[in-house]
Amino acid sequence: MPVEFKSTTLDNGLTILAEIDPKSQSVGAGFFVKTGARDEETPLMGVSHYLEHMMFKGTEDISADALNQAFDDLGASNNAYTTRESTCFYAHIIPDSAPKAIEMLAKMMRPALRQDDFDTEKNVILEEIAMYADNPFWVLYEQCVQNHYNTHGLGHRVLGTPESITAMQSGQMREYFRDRYSADNTIVSLAGNLDFDATVDQIRSLCGDWNTTNPSRTTDRPKTGHEAFTMTSDRVNRGYILGLSDAPPQGSDDRYAATLMTQILGGADNSRLHWALIETGIAEEAMAAYDGLDGTGDYFIYASGAPDSLDQIWEVMLKEIKGLKDSITEDDLAKLRAKMLTSVTLAGEKPAGRMQRLGRLWLACGKYQSLEDEIEIINSITVNDIKDLIDRYPLDACTLGKMIPESDES
């Protein structure tokens, strides 16, 4: 029996999606909330991620220890994550444990948000920000994103800043939760061996009284900056360079060509940047990647090496970017397409992967796309599709950031 897609929307706007596979030996369940760093007011930067942490602190009736113990008792693989655009809470369990796991997920989605937990977790968030401040790539990437998107919410830092987290009040978090964690801004994604109708009834009994707030998000492509800047740091002794440029939105079929193109340019192995920079000893790291977003998207190209080599590294990167369109061959595309198809297929073999794919695609596109349809789109991509994409979204029209040791500022 093939995988069967089913969906329904409760009266309060909560959408429930599922890919049913009676032969599966597990179930993936996730609550996807369409809110992230881009939806925050600038003074509340980081509240989405902070709130993600707070969801594990328990409800009015369930302590944090009891909540975590319940998942442990089920043998669940559960966690959460926050991005620029969404927050997800998920679990992967055996079918017999699915009803209880879904119950615990639904209950934790209505947390107590206690003041003492808020105060304790604030220090955890600040430590996490400090930890990432030791990562040169992350520091440079966040600054590039901020400069590229200017005052738009997509320029916000997912973790926030020490200043925004320190100043944040629990009442502000509660208000953000009421506005954004509503039924009509949440998707429940399910995959695996489960009874859809029975699960819908269970979710209705658990979540049917959630409020509806009609949350909004502006999805027009934002005006972006394309200026260069240099950062200095006494924490680094190497040089780092990163360019951020406009790319297709996540909801467009162009996202597949965009992913293939960046793999040809800067994939981990056998890419243009690898051979031009790493194999020649000019740089230590080199990569390119695509990130699709709601209404827009961005590419980044990145390399690191000796501080006095950054200008040479950028010249080589520009040469590879400008020569990419005319150098792409059918052989390049065939190899990368096969690799992408393998990755997509492997991710879809387990219900946990199918659940994530289903939830993310629905948030991005608002419609269902089967794994088979996705594979067909990937197989249909041509060299000319990628060349056309390069013309429409030039990678060298970028916000270019450099990080060098403080002593090398001159």
Side-chain angles (χ1 to χ4, degrees):
M1 181 181 294
V3 170
E4 181 182 10
F5 172 71
K6 291 187 176 183
S7 69
T8 191
T9 300
L10 303 185
D11 291 342
N12 60 1
L14 182 71
T15 298
I16 305 170
L17 316 168
E19 283 191 336
I20 311 298
D21 182 4
K23 294 183 179 180
S24 176
Q25 300 300 309
S26 63
V27 172
F31 282 72
F32 290 75
V33 187
K34 192 174 182 178
T35 198
R38 76 176 291 170
D39 304 297
E40 302 161 354
E41 297 293 334
T42 300
L44 289 181
M45 193 189 307
V47 66
S48 300
H49 173 255
Y50 195 161
L51 181 56
E52 175 212 314
H53 281 230
M54 291 293 294
M55 305 292 279
F56 288 89
K57 296 301 181 181
T59 71
E60 293 291 354
D61 303 317
I62 305 171
S63 69
D65 288 344
L67 179 65
N68 292 325
Q69 188 62 51
F71 283 114
D72 285 345
D73 290 344
L74 294 172
S77 174
N78 70 293
N79 212 327
Y81 58 84
T82 304
T83 72
R84 285 189 274 177
E85 299 194 314
S86 64
T87 311
C88 173
F89 305 85
Y90 63 89
H92 191 202
I93 59 281
I94 61 174
D96 288 346
S97 299
K100 184 62 177 179
I102 292 169
E103 176 188 351
M104 299 313 296
L105 283 171
K107 287 183 175 179
M108 73 178 286
M109 295 299 291
R110 288 298 177 263
L113 301 180
R114 302 179 185 90
Q115 183 65 48
D116 57 343
D117 291 330
F118 178 86
D119 295 338
T120 300
E121 203 63 25
K122 179 173 289 194
N123 294 324
V124 175
I125 301 296
L126 291 171
E127 284 296 322
E128 189 172 354
I129 293 173
M131 178 184 71
Y132 277 94
D134 289 331
N135 183 327
F137 165 80
W138 187 254
V139 172
L140 182 58
Y141 173 75
E142 285 195 323
Q143 192 61 54
C144 273
V145 169
Q146 179 178 321
N147 288 14
H148 190 68
Y149 288 104
N150 300 304
T151 59
H152 192 277
L154 282 171
H156 288 164
R157 303 180 181 202
V158 173
L159 300 182
T161 65
E163 295 76 19
S164 66
I165 297 300
T166 299
M168 196 176 299
Q169 301 297 311
S170 59
Q172 294 173 304
M173 177 180 285
R174 293 188 190 98
E175 183 178 355
Y176 181 84
F177 174 82
R178 286 192 297 268
D179 290 344
R180 305 298 303 185
Y181 272 66
S182 56
D184 52 336
N185 206 37
T186 304
I187 292 169
V188 182
S189 179
L190 307 162
N193 185 356
L194 55 88
D195 183 324
F196 182 72
D197 292 337
T199 304
V200 168
D201 288 342
Q202 180 193 18
I203 293 172
R204 181 182 290 109
S205 68
L206 292 164
C207 311
D209 61 349
W210 287 11
N211 65 320
T212 299
T213 63
N214 298 309
S216 62
R217 171 189 286 174
T218 300
T219 58
D220 295 339
R221 181 175 288 274
K223 180 178 175 58
T224 53
H226 301 96
E227 297 183 2
F229 68 92
T230 299
M231 304 174 67
T232 61
S233 173
D234 59 4
R235 297 188 179 194
V236 303
N237 55 26
R238 309 299 291 159
Y240 304 86
I241 187 166
L242 192 151
L244 198 76
S245 57
D246 296 340
Q250 177 65 22
S252 165
D253 283 347
D254 282 338
R255 66 184 182 273
Y256 300 104
T259 299
L260 288 169
M261 185 272 289
T262 52
Q263 287 298 301
I264 293 170
L265 177 64
D269 300 305
N270 203 30
S271 66
R272 300 293 195 271
L273 295 183
H274 177 86
W275 288 107
L277 288 170
I278 297 177
E279 287 297 319
T280 57
I282 298 173
E284 296 171 350
E285 302 172 285
M287 64 178 295
Y290 160 71
D291 190 7
L293 301 162
D294 197 356
T296 187
D298 51 54
Y299 296 122
F300 77 79
I301 48 175
Y302 165 77
S304 68
D308 58 3
S309 297
L310 287 187
D311 287 342
Q312 180 188 6
I313 289 172
W314 180 237
E315 288 178 5
V316 174
M317 295 173 90
L318 275 179
K319 180 181 178 182
E320 294 303 321
I321 289 170
K322 292 182 181 299
L324 184 62
K325 178 181 174 181
D326 293 332
S327 70
I328 294 177
T329 66
E330 290 291 346
D331 185 56
D332 289 326
L333 186 57
K335 290 177 180 178
L336 267 299
R337 187 193 291 120
K339 188 175 181 179
M340 187 175 181
L341 287 170
T342 299
S343 177
V344 169
T345 303
L346 289 177
E349 282 192 341
K350 294 182 179 180
R354 280 188 173 270
M355 173 269 293
Q356 289 287 343
R357 175 185 170 278
L358 182 59
R360 291 171 184 169
L361 275 174
W362 195 276
L363 284 183
C365 307
K367 62 181 181 180
Y368 175 65
Q369 184 178 70
S370 70
L371 180 61
E372 292 72 24
D373 289 341
E374 192 168 26
I375 289 173
E376 185 176 341
I377 292 173
I378 295 170
N379 274 323
S380 70
I381 295 170
T382 67
V383 169
N384 285 334
D385 290 333
I386 296 180
K387 290 182 176 182
D388 175 65
L389 194 68
I390 293 171
D391 286 338
R392 287 186 286 127
Y393 298 96
L395 280 89
D396 55 336
C398 64
T399 297
L400 184 66
K402 298 179 183 179
M403 177 184 285
I404 58 175
E406 199 167 74
S407 59
D408 291 356
E409 185 173 2
S410 60

